Amino acid sequence: MKRRILIADDEEIERRALRLILENEPDLEFVEAGNGIEALESVARDQPAVAILDIKMPGLDGIAVAERLRADHPELAIIFLTAYDQFDYARSAVRLQVDDFLLKPAATAEVIATIRRVLSRIANRENEQLSNQTAQVRLDGAIKLVAERLRHDLAEGLPDPEQIRKFLDLRGMAGAGEPAAGRRSGSGAGGSGGAPPGNLDRGSGRIPPGAV
C-alpha cells in the first residue's frame, strides 16, 4: 500500500528537492501545496498520511495550518520543515503534538529516516487499532453466545449460576467493583463464594431485568 505525502512549502525548489529525495521510495506518492490554504485543501481532498509543513509560509503559516489540521484531522502525521532552530518553534511543535521536524537544508539520509520513523509510528498505531477492533468483535461474539445459552436455560427453567456470572462479567455488570478473579476464587466446592455478583440471587438464578 502506498502512503501519500503532502509537501507544503511556498518555495518550489524546496518542494522539488524533497520530492527528488523521496521519489525513489517505491511505497510513497506525493501531492504538493504552495501555501497554507492549498495545504488545507489538499489534506481534505487527497487525504495524505503525512503532511510536511514549512513553518514560514506567507499568509497562513505552518503553525496555523497545523493547528487546523490537528482539530480536523487528528490522525494525520505532521512534520515541521524549517530553517529556524528556535525554541518558540519547538514549543509550538510540542503543543501541537507534531510528529517530527526537519531543519533546512536536510540531508537525504535524514529526510528518508524521518519519513520512515513517522510511517512506522503510523503503522504501529493502525495495527493497535486493528487489534483492539478484533478483540472487541471477539468480546461481542462471546457475549452473544453466553446470552443465547442463558435464554435457553431460563426458558427451560434451569438457570446456571456460573453462566450467569460469566455473562455479567463479560458485560462488566458483575459485582460492585470487585475483581472478577477474586470472585471466582471464593466459589469453591464448599459453596462459600460470598455475596452473589450484582443483583444475582444464587437460589433463584435471577439476573437484572433486560440484561440478557
Side-chain angles (χ1 to χ4, degrees), residues 91-113:
R91 183 169 56 187
S92 295
V94 171
R95 175 174 59 86
L96 294 169
Q97 297 181 328
V98 170
D99 294 83
D100 221 313
F101 69 94
L102 287 166
L103 292 177
K104 297 179 182 179
T108 297
E110 183 182 0
V111 172
I112 294 174

Side-chain angles (χ1 to χ4, degrees), residues 101-174:
F101 69 94
L102 287 166
L103 292 177
K104 297 179 182 179
T108 297
E110 183 182 0
V111 172
I112 294 174
T114 300
I115 290 293
R116 288 300 168 198
R117 186 162 55 243
V118 171
L119 290 178
S120 177
R121 292 175 193 151
I122 292 173
N124 289 339
R125 184 170 64 243
E126 290 174 345
N127 288 337
E128 183 178 355
Q129 291 172 347
L130 180 60
S131 177
N132 290 340
Q133 291 170 358
T134 301
Q136 185 61 51
V137 169
R138 290 175 177 171
L139 177 60
D140 292 344
I143 292 174
K144 182 178 180 181
L145 178 61
V146 175
E148 289 174 351
R149 290 175 179 172
L150 277 179
R151 291 190 189 100
H152 176 269
D153 290 347
L154 291 172
E156 295 293 325
L158 300 171
D160 182 348
E162 288 305 314
Q163 285 288 350
I164 295 173
R165 182 192 295 276
K166 184 176 181 181
F167 176 76
L168 295 179
D169 281 347
L170 290 171
R171 287 284 301 268
M173 296 171 59

Side-chain angles (χ1 to χ4, degrees), residues 167-202:
F167 176 76
L168 295 179
D169 281 347
L170 290 171
R171 287 284 301 268
M173 296 171 59
E178 182 184 1
R183 291 193 303 271
R184 292 193 188 95
S185 64
S187 55
S192 57
N199 295 327
L200 172 62
D201 183 321
R202 279 190 180 275

